[in-house]
Amino acid sequence: MAQIPNPVLHFIGGRFVESRSGGRFISLNPATNEPLVEVADGQAEDVDRAVQAAAEAFRRTSWPGRPAERAKALRRVAELLVERGDDFARAETADTGLPVSQARGQARRAAENFRFFADLCEHQAGRSYLVEGAFINYTVRKPVGVAGLITPWNTPLMLETWKVAPCLAAGNTCVLKPAEWSPVSAALLAEVVREAGVPDGVFNVVHGFGETAGAPLVAHPDVRLISFTGETTTGMEIMRNGAATLKRYSMELGGKSPVLVFADADLDRALDAAVFGVFSLNGERCTAGSRLFVEDAVYDGFVERLAERVRRIRVGDPQDPTTEVGPLIHPDHWRRVMGYIELAPEEGATVAVGGRRPEAFPDGNYLEPTLIVDVENGMRIAQEEIFGPVLTVLRFSGEDEAVRLANDVKYGLAAYVWTNDVRRAHRVAQSLEVGLVWVNSQNVRDLRTPFGGAKWSGIGREGGEDSFEFYTETTTIHVALGDHAIPRFGAAEAPGEGRG
Ligand code: NAD
């Protein structure tokens, strides 16, 4: 396995450094809850140092102005991520409890993020507008400056690179604040970025807690934009804190995504996708299909097969390549998820499968994959994000009810529709109040497409050109080609002038 750095330090101006205060905190191994690493505990003074390093790199290096250089360095980052993919995956697994087979997939995606945005940055073009031969107006896109990137603990490497790659490709410099429960991948990423020849100060990392390291980054006057992924309530707090310095925001927030299975669907494929969609990544997945709606006519048979599959999911050591569900990230999160499972019978629902700690795993944050039935859409378990291996099942009768129930929730990140009626598929997909719909498909992402949520699930879109839209400033330049009319204020004869 890759040497996991210990202690995990900040990365500022091209060097790994302790906090000014010397403070550290401990991050746990989710499979045992034994300490895994000590981590530098960043405070406002460390954030300030990192922002200064980033601002200096923006002013003094060629990074913002040389797309070809940027593309070359970022492609090198991608190559190194591919070469060390297995090491990254094993380290991420030790840090987060993500099953290693799935962490490998995430490491491949991390490399693709760099390769994709490196290519895109070389193909950026402005727009031009010719005005009747009198003007040529055109746009240029410029990097914005120092970006603050704040990421959550679920799939940290993939989500960090999802922000870092387009941010740097667009010519910005950045300070990344990874989640306190998953600091390791950002430290490994810093090593790779340095080795790839990205100039010192372009990429910086400050570790620490939300209130003490994240909040000063948001409030810092020299940080121009914040790309945040995390809980909706944190996003709200960040928008309040950044108001005084007028930040630009991209907000990728929580979800409670519906899966709609119509009676005419390919039920075998729908079953595979429904199970994978909520139990992969330990259920700690923003786009998890955590509310399953099954049409009346096929409900009983489908739920019976579903229960059988959920019972047979392999829970185990996350470093074992055959494990399908590993331990949750942290004991606090385990208790939060258990709290929802305990709430289910109080609300009148039934825990049909799972719902307990597996007997074979007395330590660590293991939880049986859980299926809850007899659910009503108004229950908290059907409305609030549980963010664990828990699926709530509801029934519907007909298309109108399916759409009404699916939309009756504050969140609007993703939805999955299963039907073989092509007209209904489009009708339903277009009626859902979400940022992303998959039809007869599991969650397969194309990096060119916009990604983001509606309602409580976010503001703005990232991905492909939309990422460049967010990470750049557009200047429109208007050039006169001839002598157009210019009103001549003050050129008229003054009253009394020229008389007499
Ligand atoms: P979180 O909101 O608790 O923390 C996210 C990050 O914000 C962490 O780095 C944390 O330290 C930081 N933070 C906390 N308070 C802050 C503050 N006041 N100022 C600045 N930074 C602060 O989220 P989490 O529990 O780490 O992650 C899980 C959540 O992320 C879920 O709600 C999930 O749906 C969401 N998520 C969304 C997407 C998406 O693309 N929409 C993707 C992944 C995860």
Side-chain angles (χ1 to χ4, degrees), residues 411-415 432-438 450-455 457 460-461:
Y411 294 105
L413 187 54
L432 293 169
E433 298 164 353
V434 297
L436 308 153
V437 182
W438 277 270
F451 179 92
K455 302 192 319 195
S457 290
R461 297 289 179 270

Side-chain angles (χ1 to χ4, degrees), residues 162-198:
W162 172 245
K163 295 189 188 303
V164 172
C167 173
L168 298 190
N172 302 290
T173 60
C174 73
V175 178
L176 168 67
K177 208 301 279 170
E180 52 272 33
W181 287 350
S182 60
V184 169
S185 53
L188 295 175
L189 183 63
E191 287 175 9
V192 161
V193 166
R194 182 164 70 173
E195 199 174 324
V198 173

Side-chain angles (χ1 to χ4, degrees), residues 267-288:
L267 296 178
D268 293 337
R269 289 182 63 75
L271 180 65
D272 288 344
V275 173
F276 183 76
V278 68
F279 295 108
S280 53
L281 309 181
N282 298 341
E284 298 163 328
R285 175 177 200 152
C286 56
T287 49

Side-chain angles (χ1 to χ4, degrees), residues 105-157:
Q106 301 292 317
R108 278 194 296 277
R109 265 290 300 282
E112 271 166 36
N113 284 337
F114 276 99
R115 204 178 308 113
F116 174 83
F117 285 107
D119 289 348
L120 209 58
C121 102
E122 284 195 307
H123 296 113
Q124 285 302 294
R127 289 169 283 171
S128 70
Y129 307 86
L130 194 61
V131 187
E132 294 172 5
F135 284 92
I136 177 72
N137 300 333
Y138 67 95
T139 61
V140 287
R141 274 185 176 175
K142 294 181 286 192
V144 179
V146 179
L149 311 177
I150 303 178
T151 47
W153 47 258
N154 68 311
T155 60
L157 176 64

Side-chain angles (χ1 to χ4, degrees), residues 440-459:
N440 296 333
S441 169
Q442 61 135 327
N443 178 329
V444 180
R445 285 269 295 122
D446 172 340
L447 293 180
R448 293 169 302 176
T449 56
F451 179 92
K455 302 192 319 195
W456 268 32
S457 290
I459 299 176

Side-chain angles (χ1 to χ4, degrees), residues 484-495 497:
H484 62 289
I486 303 177
R488 303 193 64 231
F489 274 26
E493 283 181 0
E497 247 179 32

Side-chain angles (χ1 to χ4, degrees), residues 150-154 159 177-180 209-210 214-215 218 228-231 234 237-238 252-255 286 385 387 413 451 457:
I150 303 178
T151 47
W153 47 258
N154 68 311
L159 287 173
K177 208 301 279 170
E180 52 272 33
F209 292 82
V218 171
F228 170 74
T229 299
E231 279 190 27
T234 314
E237 171 77 7
I238 286 177
E252 299 192 342
L253 308 176
C286 56
E385 187 180 41
F387 218 58
L413 187 54
F451 179 92
S457 290

